Amino acid sequence: MGRLDDKVAIITGAASGMGLAGAQIFAREGASVVLTDVVEDKLNKAVADIKENGGTAAAMKLDVADPAGWKDVVDQTVKLYGKINILVNNAGTHNSAGILDTDLETWNKVMNIDSTGVWLGMKAVIPIMQKNGDGSIVNTSSIGALVGGNGNGAAYSAAKGAVRSITKFAAQEFGKDSIRVNSVHPGVTFTSMTKKFFGTQKSNDDRPGMTFTKSVGASTKEEMSKVQKGNAVLPPYVADASDIGYAYLYLASDESKFVTGEELIVDGGYIINS
Ligand SMILES: NC(=O)c1ccc[n+]([C@@H]2O[C@H](COP(=O)([O-])OP(=O)(O)OC[C@H]3O[C@@H](n4cnc5c(N)ncnc54)[C@H](O)[C@@H]3O)[C@@H](O)[C@H]2O)c1
């Protein structure tokens, strides 16, 4: 018996990192999983792997900032599986520029994907969940929504802060429909996002709290772990994508049926240490 038997889940940004880990875990736990992303080749491979391992999954291309794309994905999912029980708004993009260095184009891009995309996803899926009579939405925020600095930029922190607050707003608005809405706040996690970030940041970033922007070339988990030691308290100081996938699983499953509007921090103790 799986923890998500008979559930239908949509996960955004599922071609890599936490979204992919979540999709693999959800499929193992019995869900039918719709993996969406802008990167089609990796998405198709992820779905093929899940099917090879006995899971049920479909790939659908989706830019989360595109309302028409959301309509297509919701329509196709309902056609394929008849309902939607779970939405994980995981897709995201990162930028570490501060207030003065962020240009409007970057600001709008980060806000569109990381924040507007979450609202569009909820707007598209909630009417189906209302018809089902229940649902669970998990929105991926960040520790960047809770503390300043820590390597995140102005637009990213603002977007992830918006995810935190719209999660609570939606939880309040749709509790009457038995739709739960929670946010997950990962700390530094070993994914392509951090590989790029840790590997390429300029080393002369003297903004407060930007310890790991001095870590040029730290692109393996071991190297990142060394940089993060002292920031997080739990070895190896950097999360695996599956650590976040299991947080998604708890909030998606009926095990959390009385949990809504909550923020689940998965950061190896980063926040308590800052
Ligand atoms: N890695 C970390 O340390 C960390 C920490 C806190 C929060 N997060 C958040 O976790 C989430 C997952 O990130 P990750 O670390 O797995 O990174 P990742 O880069 O491995 O995965 C992000 C995925 O989102 C997809 N994506 C980007 N723009 C998109 C768009 N417009 N529409 C649809 N998909 C799009 C990418 O193609 C990619 O597959 C993001 O929201 C990120 O901001 C990551």
Side-chain angles (χ1 to χ4, degrees):
M1 169 111 183
R3 292 165 69 184
L4 297 179
D5 279 350
D6 301 323
K7 305 274 191 197
V8 177
I10 295 176
I11 304 184
T12 68
S16 66
M18 304 170 189
L20 174 58
Q24 290 166 337
I25 292 168
F26 281 22
R28 279 205 303 272
E29 292 296 336
S32 301
V33 190
V34 174
L35 289 82
T36 72
D37 206 292
V38 283
V39 184
E40 260 183 310
D41 49 346
K42 278 165 106 189
L43 202 56
N44 291 333
K45 181 174 183 321
V47 167
D49 288 348
I50 288 174
K51 285 181 169 168
E52 233 170 75
N53 286 306
T56 304
M60 297 186 197
K61 191 174 182 190
L62 171 69
D63 175 347
V64 292
D66 172 22
W70 270 110
K71 186 178 176 328
D72 281 351
V73 165
V74 167
D75 288 352
Q76 281 185 64
T77 303
V78 172
K79 206 167 157 193
L80 203 55
Y81 298 122
K83 58 178 185 169
I84 303 166
N85 305 102
I86 298 160
L87 168 64
V88 183
N89 277 313
N90 160 87
T93 189
H94 187 267
N95 185 278
S96 62
I99 297 275
L100 303 183
D101 292 334
T102 301
D103 56 52
L104 187 58
E105 193 186 338
T106 302
W107 176 272
N108 286 337
K109 181 185 169 200
V110 175
M111 291 302 279
N112 274 339
I113 297 172
D114 290 4
S115 176
T116 307
V118 169
W119 164 63
L120 287 173
M122 293 197 289
K123 193 173 160 66
V125 167
I126 283 172
I128 307 298
M129 291 181 167
Q130 285 175 314
K131 275 191 207 152
N132 297 346
D134 66 15
S136 175
I137 298 173
V138 183
N139 294 327
T140 308
S141 180
S142 167
I143 52 171
L146 306 168
V147 293
N150 76 64
N152 295 309
Y156 188 80
S157 293
K160 293 300 188 181
V163 172
R164 176 179 183 245
S165 49
I166 201 174
T167 296
K168 295 182 195 307
F169 185 95
Q172 197 178 29
E173 189 172 4
F174 297 105
K176 66 175 174 39
D177 300 314
S178 299
I179 296 170
R180 302 182 296 106
V181 192
N182 294 286
S183 54
V184 170
H185 299 252
V188 173
T189 307
F190 185 61
T191 66
S192 58
M193 184 176 280
T194 39
K195 269 188 243 174
K196 190 170 153 201
F197 175 68
F198 274 69
T200 59
Q201 286 304 300
K202 51 186 180 176
S203 59
N204 60 348
D205 193 331
D206 288 326
R207 282 177 286 158
M210 301 297 275
T211 333
F212 57 76
T213 61
K214 296 179 192 302
S215 57
V216 180
S219 54
T220 65
K221 190 176 165 193
E222 290 66 34
E223 287 162 345
M224 280 184 211
S225 175
K226 275 188 202 149
V227 179
Q228 282 304 98
K229 191 173 178 182
N231 289 336
V233 302
L234 268 183
Y237 313 108
V238 173
D240 291 318
S242 60
D243 293 325
I244 315 304
Y246 283 113
Y248 292 166
L249 173 61
Y250 168 66
L251 291 172
S253 78
D254 292 341
E255 292 157 21
S256 58
K257 68 183 172 53
F258 205 54
V259 180
T260 198
E262 264 305 331
E263 43 200 65
L264 179 47
I265 300 168
V266 187
D267 69 346
Y270 183 101
I271 296 281
I272 52 163
N273 207 28
S274 56

